[in-house]
Amino acid sequence: MKSRLLASVGALALSAGAASADYSLTILHTNDFHARFEQISRFDSACGDEDAAEGKCFGGTARLVTAINDARARSNNSILLDGGDQFQGTLFYTYYKGAASAEFMNKMGYDAMTVGNHEFDDGPETLRGFMDTVQFPILMSNADVSAEGLLSGAIQKSVVIERGGEKLGLIGLTPVDTPEISSPGKNITFTDPVGAVQAEVDKLTAEGVNKIIVLSHSGYEVDKRIAAEATGVDVIVGGHSHTLLSNTAENAAGPYPTMVGATAIVQAYAYGKFLGELNVTFNDAGEVTEATGEPLILDAAVAQDEATSARVQELAQPLDEIRQKVVAESSEEIDGSRENCRAMECEMGNLVADAMLDRVKGQGIQIAIQNGGGLRASIDAGPVTMGEVLTVLPFQNTLSTFHVKGSTIVAALENGVSQVEEGAGRFPQVAGLSFVWDPAAEPGSRIVSVSVMVDGQAQPIEPDTVYGVVSNNFVRNGGDGYSMFATEATDVYDFGPDLADVTAEYLAAAGPYTPYLDGRISKKE
């Protein structure tokens, strides 16, 4: 809700015969790029030479540069924003950390970015190095960083920039559960998004800024809540949930923009596959009178900028030997899609959990639990390269083994299915056990039954029996809400082999691997 004073001043100006004109702005935006500097396949992983030759690739920084330049040429007044999670996802990040992202974002002329949870994956140190290199503000309103010396005074809650003769207020937002899903350290306190946004809106409004855009790496559902509960927000540029909003795509989660009251919400999927393009018109009071647009798919019809392509290839040279090595073969596509692996048994989840359990079964370990959010892509049929495996498992997680009671495992599974509606990454992919859950029940009471394989036979889990478990070090240390493993596990060893290596070796040993589902995770009917 805009200021009545502003509205009345505008009315007085009009009555006095003063000229008044609408203000039009094109908001170009990306989110959840995840180090996809090269072209991607339809599975969001590396695009092979054959598909590239046939024009079946998408995205890539060289194509994004062309799309941004073309979009700017269509508009006489534009701004380029990012909704967070530039970090993590391919060997480019593993090798260069934030340096490659900073270089290309500077080249493309971004105006601002919010902090995504993955920007904290390597702690505040790597984020600060990135911030020192980029030529635009990094924003985060819902966190107190005053106790973190590396970030105190560096991250702004909001910023005002001028574009086309008008002031625009930009506010950043990061997931409130970042301490559970990343590694920000103990010196940063995260707070509720609505209150944080409202405080910055009130501050900006008091400074006379009446056009306000929130860069929100918080997910589509949270964005709708912010739009409904906060006042004064005109546009929310989203991220985190990898949501495609579109007026034409059949698989869209909602319209582009999604209007909640007078607030326009946009998001453009992930991995650089789309460039969001929202055209907004404001009246003199800073109210949105029109908001139209559509994410632009970056397919073969969009030319790749030659200079950018050459630079990406140059940066790729140190990585090629690692990722081009063929390590296995798959008879069919292995589904690792986000929508499946965060909501149900998925083929990639079975593969990775089976690989984990196979590696340590000689150590008395009976159960494997892998968070679905740790699975980042599918793998297509045919030869499997190490690069593809690393795209699925990019986090350099190690195998962790430990022992917990059956009651703790049930509590862990309850945590895993507690946020399915939000597409949270904590959904458990498992091996050595099976479970039934009830999506209609309240979170915390959804697990109906659990069975553990004992001597080749499925037996109901016993609450007081101690079981051997293998997971990854992120989950074992409490990531994705699995705090019970951090506090209750015994005989802990967090420093096993790299999960990507374990998976690659398991694939190789299988000969041509055949992906499968076997009903180990099911819903109550």
Side-chain angles (χ1 to χ4, degrees):
M1 184 175 67
K2 298 296 181 179
S3 167
R4 291 183 180 178
L5 175 61
L6 285 169
S8 63
V9 168
L12 287 170
L14 286 172
S15 66
S20 175
D22 287 340
Y23 173 78
S24 296
L25 176 69
T26 298
I27 301 173
L28 305 175
H29 61 97
T30 55
N31 58 276
D32 300 281
F33 188 73
H34 287 299
R36 296 306 203 274
F37 302 106
E38 295 176 308
Q39 301 180 88
I40 60 173
S41 72
R42 62 192 179 96
F43 305 115
D44 300 329
S45 58
C47 195
D49 293 340
E50 184 177 333
D51 281 351
E54 295 177 4
K56 296 180 179 178
C57 299
F58 301 88
T61 303
R63 197 168 270 128
L64 184 58
V65 167
T66 298
I68 289 169
N69 289 340
D70 290 349
R72 283 174 171 150
R74 290 192 292 271
S75 172
N76 61 3
N77 189 39
S78 64
I79 186 173
L80 177 60
L81 306 173
D82 186 77
D85 273 7
Q86 281 283 327
F87 286 13
Q88 198 64 268
T90 68
L91 269 179
F92 278 89
Y93 177 76
T94 305
Y95 192 85
Y96 294 106
K97 298 305 177 185
S101 297
E103 176 182 338
F104 287 121
M105 293 184 82
N106 285 339
K107 175 185 176 70
M108 289 182 275
Y110 275 82
D111 291 288
M113 171 186 171
T114 192
V115 180
N117 51 289
H118 284 289
E119 268 71 69
F120 282 112
D121 278 0
D122 286 290
E125 298 85 355
T126 299
L127 175 57
R128 179 55 191 264
F130 173 76
M131 294 177 63
D132 288 342
T133 308
V134 297
Q135 299 164 358
F136 50 86
I138 306 294
L139 307 174
M140 182 169 64
S141 66
N142 63 320
D144 181 357
V145 299
S146 59
E148 177 49 69
L150 285 165
L151 300 180
S152 180
I155 290 183
Q156 303 176 69
K157 292 180 180 293
S158 63
V159 69
V160 177
I161 67 172
E162 291 197 11
R163 191 57 44 90
E166 292 285 334
K167 291 181 178 180
L168 305 173
L170 309 177
I171 301 169
L173 202 57
T174 301
V176 70
D177 61 348
T178 292
E180 295 182 9
I181 60 177
S182 190
S183 305
K186 298 180 179 179
N187 298 327
I188 303 175
T189 304
F190 294 83
T191 58
D192 181 74
V194 175
V197 166
Q198 191 65 64
E200 292 306 301
V201 170
D202 294 345
K203 172 189 168 186
L204 293 168
T205 302
E207 295 172 0
V209 179
N210 65 0
K211 300 172 185 67
I212 295 175
I213 303 168
V214 175
L215 309 186
S216 172
H217 192 83
S218 298
Y220 186 45
E221 295 303 318
V222 173
D223 291 345
K224 288 188 285 187
R225 181 165 74 89
I226 293 166
E229 297 179 15
T231 59
V233 176
D234 296 302
V235 178
I236 299 176
V237 174
H240 190 49
S241 53
H242 296 205
T243 302
L244 176 61
L245 299 179
S246 170
N247 304 309
T248 59
E250 292 182 1
N251 61 334
Y256 183 101
T258 296
M259 298 301 300
V260 176
T263 303
I265 301 170
V266 293
Q267 195 175 150
Y269 184 55
Y271 310 121
K273 192 172 185 177
F274 296 86
L275 172 66
E277 183 180 28
L278 180 70
N279 298 297
V280 187
T281 301
F282 298 86
N283 62 20
D284 276 358
E287 298 163 336
V288 174
T289 59
E290 186 178 22
T292 61
E294 180 73 11
L296 309 171
I297 190 164
L298 304 191
D299 58 15
V302 180
Q304 298 185 74
D305 178 73
E306 291 185 6
T308 305
S309 182
R311 178 57 177 154
V312 171
Q313 291 176 38
E314 181 182 3
L315 290 171
Q317 288 176 4
L319 317 179
D320 283 343
E321 183 178 351
I322 301 170
R323 61 185 181 174
Q324 290 179 2
K325 180 182 178 183
V326 175
V327 295
E329 186 170 335
S330 181
S331 62
E332 301 171 30
E333 175 201 344
I334 308 170
D335 173 35
S337 61
R338 180 187 180 97
E339 58 267 28
N340 288 337
C341 293
R342 295 179 178 223
M344 63 189 75
E345 178 190 0
C346 73
E347 293 170 348
M348 192 66 73
N350 285 358
L351 164 62
V352 173
D354 286 351
M356 295 165 73
L357 187 56
D358 183 75
R359 176 59 69 96
V360 297
K361 62 185 179 183
Q363 303 173 23
I365 302 299
Q366 301 151 280
I367 295 166
I369 299 178
Q370 162 68 28
N371 55 322
L375 309 174
R376 309 302 290 190
S378 300
I379 292 177
D380 55 3
V384 178
T385 65
M386 193 64 200
E388 288 180 294
V389 177
L390 287 164
T391 299
V392 174
L393 299 163
F395 299 111
Q396 298 178 285
N397 290 138
T398 55
L399 258 60
S400 291
T401 53
F402 53 97
H403 288 83
V404 289
K405 288 183 177 181
S407 57
T408 303
I409 293 170
V410 174
L413 296 175
E414 287 284 9
N415 168 69
V417 299
S418 66
Q419 298 182 10
V420 175
E421 296 84 355
E422 301 167 28
R426 63 190 59 196
F427 189 87
Q429 299 294 329
V430 300
L433 65 72
S434 60
F435 68 89
V436 179
W437 69 288
D438 183 359
E442 288 295 315
S445 302
R446 290 180 163 178
I447 297 299
V448 177
S449 63
V450 182
S451 296
V452 180
M453 295 301 295
V454 179
D455 297 327
Q457 299 294 321
Q459 299 181 6
I461 196 166
E462 297 291 343
D464 293 325
T465 297
V466 175
Y467 297 91
V469 182
V470 60
S471 189
N472 61 67
N473 61 313
F474 172 72
V475 166
R476 212 293 301 164
N477 282 281
D480 267 344
Y482 287 92
S483 58
M484 66 291 297
F485 289 161
T487 58
E488 299 179 35
T490 60
D491 304 322
V492 173
Y493 186 73
D494 286 335
F495 310 107
D498 185 281
L499 180 54
D501 291 337
V502 169
T503 302
E505 291 167 17
Y506 182 80
L507 276 169
Y513 178 79
T514 300
Y516 71 99
L517 302 175
D518 61 9
R520 62 186 67 179
I521 301 172
S522 59
K523 296 179 183 178
K524 180 183 178 182
E525 296 297 333

